[in-house]
Amino acid sequence: MNIFRTKDVSLRQTEMSRHLKLWDLILLGIGAMVGTGIFTITGTAAATLAGPSLVLSIVISALCVSLSALFFAEFASRVPATGGAYSYLYAILGELPAWIAGWLTIMEFMTAVSGVASGWVAYFKGLLSNYGISMPQALNGTFNPEQGAYIDLLPILLLTLVTGLVLLNSKVALRFNSLLVILKFSALTLFILVGIWYIKPENWSNFAPFGFGQIYGGSTGIMAGASLMFFGFLGFESISMAVDEIQSPQKNIPRGIVLSLTIVTILYALVTLVLTGIVHYSKLNVDDAVAFSLRSIGIGWAANYVSLVAILTLITVCISMTYALSRMIYSLARDGLIPRSFKQLSKTSRVPKNATILTGVASAIAAGVFPLASIAAFLNICTLAYLILLAYGIIKLRKDKGMPKKGEFKTPLVPLLPILSILICVSFMLQYSLDTWIAFGIALVVGLVIYFTYGYHHSTLTEEK
């Protein structure tokens, strides 16, 4: 049994249409990243983990993500294949490491879509409550029989809508996504321009109330805030998963990743500074932090606009990640590691139909049953684990294939930066609770069982023998 067999996945013939340009990729990346992380998680992280120094947490998270983005960019220019980290590692480290990365990517994106749907619901319910409207208790919360809640119906309905949209046509879905991204920027720009006049410097006086925290094993402080805010940057890798539909992927994927990540980092830092400047951090432990802060200073019209835009534009993250995850599942099915029925394309729009439906169903179940805090921690630890594999993969890529050729993206300071990335990822992972580690362990075991009972035996590499 050769579980480390490799596969040349570079520039394989695609059945999809190459129609995405650089601008589409930037908006796809921004659409995936700017969502629950900025509209919801910032308030929770400031109130419970880092206070105003959350802006430093964001910088540290951005550093970690930027290192991984460099590795994605080099892999994308040298091994341009659909499936992101999964396909890159298939070519360099072999089938089992690739499967683990692919499985953890599925866990990441499925729970990310669920988390964003839960964040959307928080804003929608907040808006409805202003008009005295509420859902029946049994359908108004994740599973908690003691409080009479069994399922949260609204995120399930949202993800049903998103799945239908992504099934229509990838070009139509991403054009709709681009329009909503622009609308999202208008709300955050309004928040910054209005809120900056209401900043009270005394709210920043105790800038780091929880301290720096611990590099390893901390529960509060700047480092713990960084580990949670990592959630806000997830989705940048969705760009690399769309390679089958991108024009000039070797050039445009690295550019799209770097540009979208830079824009999002600046935006997150500005919003966090304004947020903790106009409202004391201790009051921000709410699900709709941005709108809440505007209401607290008496600017209800702006708060309502932000809530309305959040309701509309958090959908962009669901679209971007549902789109990316369905392509991930398509890649695994094409290689035989999961049933090949999931690589089936619709006849008219050439969209991976069954993979998209599976994405929608699994995400809807998770969103309706599991609370947002649990979702965020779980998807972070899954992502950090496969980014460690990716960092090691870039070292192996250089060892096996040498330096990038002219015109290919080159990650600087290899192996120093990959080693630094691994250390930061391990530090973030050790900030999480035992419950999160248990959930991660169970997910990993399930993935390994699927590989050894089905994937290895049905892999196209097995059939080629």
Side-chain angles (χ1 to χ4, degrees), residues 5 15 17 71 89 139 163 174 206 210 233 255 310 334 350 417 430 434:
R5 52 193 177 180
E15 301 176 73
S17 172
F71 311 150
L89 296 181
L139 305 176
T163 302
L174 293 181
N206 189 6
F210 300 94
F233 291 98
R255 292 172 182 170
R334 185 166 64 178
R350 312 306 293 168
L417 289 187
L430 293 176
L434 179 61

Side-chain angles (χ1 to χ4, degrees), residues 35-44 118-130 191 271 275 278-279 283-296 302-304 306-308 310-311 314 372:
T36 305
I38 193 68
F39 284 109
T40 301
I41 298 296
T42 44
T44 302
S118 297
W120 173 85
V121 167
Y123 271 84
F124 189 59
K125 289 177 180 177
L127 190 63
L128 290 179
S129 66
N130 287 337
F191 171 72
V271 169
L275 185 66
I278 62 180
V279 177
K283 300 178 181 178
L284 288 173
N285 192 15
V286 294
D287 288 335
D288 56 345
V290 176
F292 168 81
S293 65
L294 290 172
R295 289 193 187 98
S296 69
N304 289 336
V306 168
S307 292
L308 183 60
I311 289 166
L314 284 176
L372 178 59

